[in-house]
């Protein structure tokens, strides 16, 4: 199965720290809109901390793909919301 990270810029997809930071930015953005910023930011931090000692390359790739999927889905959602129509189907 191909990696979902190909839908993200390579400088983001190939770097866990940049992926983490982008996830935090999205969590802050969504949290600000829904008035639960602290909760969402803590959820992102917990997910990354829980897996920071993972050494299995396949598991790491799956975790990165999961994070990428969340980012992509949010980007698609925002694109739909801003355009005012439902044109893109989320992953």
């Amino acid at each position: 199965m191909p990696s979902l990270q190909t839908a993200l810029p390579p400088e983001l997809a190939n770097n866990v720290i940049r992926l983490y930071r982008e996830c935090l930015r999205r969590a802050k953005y969504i949290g600000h809109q829904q008035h639960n910023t602290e909760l969402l930011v803590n959820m992102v931090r917990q997910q990354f901390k829980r897996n920071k000692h993972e050494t299995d390359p396949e598991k790491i790739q799956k975790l990165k793909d999961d994070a990428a999927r969340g980012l992509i889905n949010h980007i698609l959602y925002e694109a739909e919301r801003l355009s005012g129509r439902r044109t893109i189907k989320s992953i």
Side-chain angles (χ1 to χ4, degrees), residues 1 4 12-13 17 19 30 36 39 42 47 55 82 86 90:
M1 180 168 82
L4 285 173
L12 179 61
I17 293 172
L19 188 59
I30 295 167
N36 61 352
L39 174 67
N42 284 337
Q47 286 294 320
T55 58
L82 294 174
R86 179 114 177 126
S90 63

Side-chain angles (χ1 to χ4, degrees), residues 37-88:
T37 304
E38 188 175 340
L39 174 67
L40 292 177
V41 168
N42 284 337
M43 287 173 60
V44 169
R45 285 184 177 142
Q46 286 174 0
Q47 286 294 320
F48 276 83
K49 280 183 180 182
R50 182 179 313 141
N51 298 297
K52 74 179 182 179
H53 297 295
E54 184 60 56
T55 58
D56 178 18
E58 289 182 19
K59 174 88 181 206
I60 292 169
Q61 187 62 46
K62 182 191 179 310
L63 293 166
K64 287 169 61 178
D65 283 347
D66 290 347
R69 183 179 299 110
L71 289 175
I72 293 165
N73 283 340
H74 183 257
I75 291 167
L76 294 174
Y77 170 79
E78 281 298 307
E80 290 172 357
R81 187 180 69 78
L82 294 174
S83 72
R85 57 192 160 130
R86 179 114 177 126
T87 58
I88 304 170

